[in-house]
Amino acid sequence: MRHEKEPVIYPINQLPQFIQVGVSDLWREHGISPEEMEKKNLVFTYFDGIYTGTTLNTDVFKHECVHYIRQGGGADEKLAKEWWVRYCVVGEFRYAEELAAYKEQYQFILRIANGNRAVAFDHAKRLATELSGPLYGNLRSFNTALGDILRK
């Protein structure tokens, strides 16, 4: 995935307050405590940047770049805010956005695995576990998420 401008990497403690509140409410609805979330080294993309408390692996960067582009590629903060509100409120939108990002992440892994489908499949299963899990609201079964990620 190529884009003219890459996102800026920001420290997680600079994540805008409205996103912190929105995702906290979302996780609370899904039964995830703030303490659990702090342990996960989560990454967020908003407007012109990626907010993280850790070094990003390249596959995760590719995933976040999908969100960056779909939020307007740093060109339209209003669009990015609207994206985040919809992401926090509409489960089907959240699933579709994460699926697009996980598919890009998987395709990157497949390329760097030099066609080793067994290695790539192990990663696909890890990604499907995340996509089908409580972080996103258990919106699909593991098998459905895996099939969706693998489908071109």
Side-chain angles (χ1 to χ4, degrees):
M1 171 166 300
R2 298 195 49 91
H3 196 266
E4 286 182 27
K5 182 178 133 188
E6 285 198 352
V8 177
I9 305 297
Y10 293 109
I12 193 76
N13 64 0
Q14 291 182 15
L15 184 67
Q17 184 67 25
F18 86 92
I19 296 174
Q20 293 177 39
V21 170
V23 295
S24 292
D25 290 347
L26 180 65
W27 294 328
R28 195 171 13 266
E29 287 175 24
H30 300 157
I32 303 170
S33 72
E35 296 76 29
E36 287 178 89
M37 295 319 304
E38 285 179 22
K39 296 176 189 173
K40 291 191 176 282
N41 290 326
L42 294 177
V43 178
F44 299 89
T45 297
Y46 171 68
F47 179 49
D48 67 344
I50 298 172
Y51 295 80
T52 181
T54 187
T55 303
L56 291 180
N57 291 332
T58 305
D59 66 306
V60 175
F61 181 78
K62 298 287 186 186
H63 173 115
E64 294 303 322
C65 282
V66 170
H67 297 317
Y68 170 75
I69 290 166
R70 292 167 80 103
Q71 290 179 33
D76 186 348
E77 189 165 9
K78 183 176 184 253
L79 174 65
K81 280 185 181 177
E82 290 169 355
W83 186 97
W84 264 103
V85 169
R86 194 164 179 217
Y87 183 92
C88 288
V89 173
V90 182
E92 290 305 310
F93 177 78
R94 185 169 53 254
Y95 183 82
E97 292 299 301
E98 289 302 337
L99 177 59
Y102 278 116
K103 285 175 78 92
E104 180 70 23
Q105 188 174 358
Y106 173 71
Q107 289 302 313
F108 174 77
I109 290 167
L110 190 57
R111 285 191 301 276
I112 64 168
N114 294 319
N116 185 331
R117 293 207 174 267
V119 168
F121 188 67
D122 285 343
H123 284 281
K125 290 187 289 187
R126 175 181 56 82
L127 300 176
T129 298
E130 293 173 12
L131 181 58
S132 64
L135 182 64
Y136 303 117
N138 300 301
L139 296 169
R140 299 289 191 285
S141 70
F142 168 82
N143 287 335
T144 298
L146 181 61
D148 289 346
I149 290 169
L150 295 174
R151 194 173 300 112
K152 288 190 177 193

